[in-house]
Amino acid sequence: MDRYDTDVRDGVLFLESDDGWLEIGQLDDICELVGGETYTLEYDDRQRQMDWLDTDDEGKLTFDVRETLTEMDFNDEFVGNIQPIDGEKTDEDGYPLRASVFADLMMDIWDSKGNL
C-alpha cells in the first residue's frame, strides 16, 4: 500500500498524490475547522489500560494539530477521497471546500481513535 506525505509551504498544507502535490488549504484555516491549535481525545478507563497510551489523569490526550498534520502520511484511499474535491469551491462558511472536507475527515479519524 502506498503512503503519501504532507508538506507545508508558506502556511499552506499540501498532500502528495500520484499526480503531484495537491493543495489542501491554509493550515490556519484547517486549525480553525478542527477547533483550534490543539485537539483533545478522551479515553475511558478500559482504553487507558493500553501501555502505549499516555493520557492525563482524566483520560485525555491532547496533541498539536499543526505538528501532527505535518508529520502524517496517508494511504491511497484517503488521497482518493480528497483529490476529486474542487480546490476552487468554498463551503457555506467561506472556507475552501477541500480544506473543510480534509478537516472533517481528520476529526473522524482522530475521534474514532483508529477504529474507522
Side-chain angles (χ1 to χ4, degrees):
M1 177 187 303
D2 290 333
R3 302 296 296 181
Y4 299 91
D5 289 325
T6 56
D7 191 23
V8 177
R9 303 177 207 152
D10 297 322
V12 177
L13 181 69
F14 289 84
L15 180 58
E16 186 180 21
S17 75
D18 288 334
D19 299 326
W21 289 95
L22 182 63
E23 184 175 331
I24 302 303
Q26 290 286 329
L27 204 46
D28 288 344
D29 289 346
I30 295 167
C31 287
E32 286 180 30
L33 287 161
V34 301
E37 296 287 326
T38 60
Y39 200 83
T40 301
L41 301 173
E42 294 185 38
Y43 293 86
D44 63 27
D45 289 336
R46 184 186 56 77
Q47 292 169 321
R48 283 189 264 176
Q49 300 305 312
M50 305 303 283
D51 291 336
W52 54 266
L53 190 58
D54 188 23
T55 63
D56 65 12
D57 292 338
E58 297 175 353
K60 295 179 181 178
L61 179 124
T62 300
F63 57 89
D64 182 279
V65 171
R66 290 175 191 272
E67 181 180 313
T68 298
L69 290 178
T70 59
E71 293 177 358
M72 289 185 77
D73 59 26
F74 298 90
N75 65 22
D76 50 355
E77 181 180 359
F78 185 92
V79 174
N81 286 325
I82 294 293
Q83 193 164 16
I85 298 168
D86 188 338
E88 302 299 316
K89 289 189 178 180
T90 58
D91 68 10
E92 61 275 357
D93 295 320
Y95 290 103
L97 186 58
R98 190 178 284 153
S100 183
V101 170
F102 178 87
D104 286 344
L105 287 172
M106 291 311 307
M107 289 186 297
D108 287 345
I109 291 168
W110 292 334
D111 291 341
S112 74
K113 301 169 185 131
N115 296 318
L116 286 178

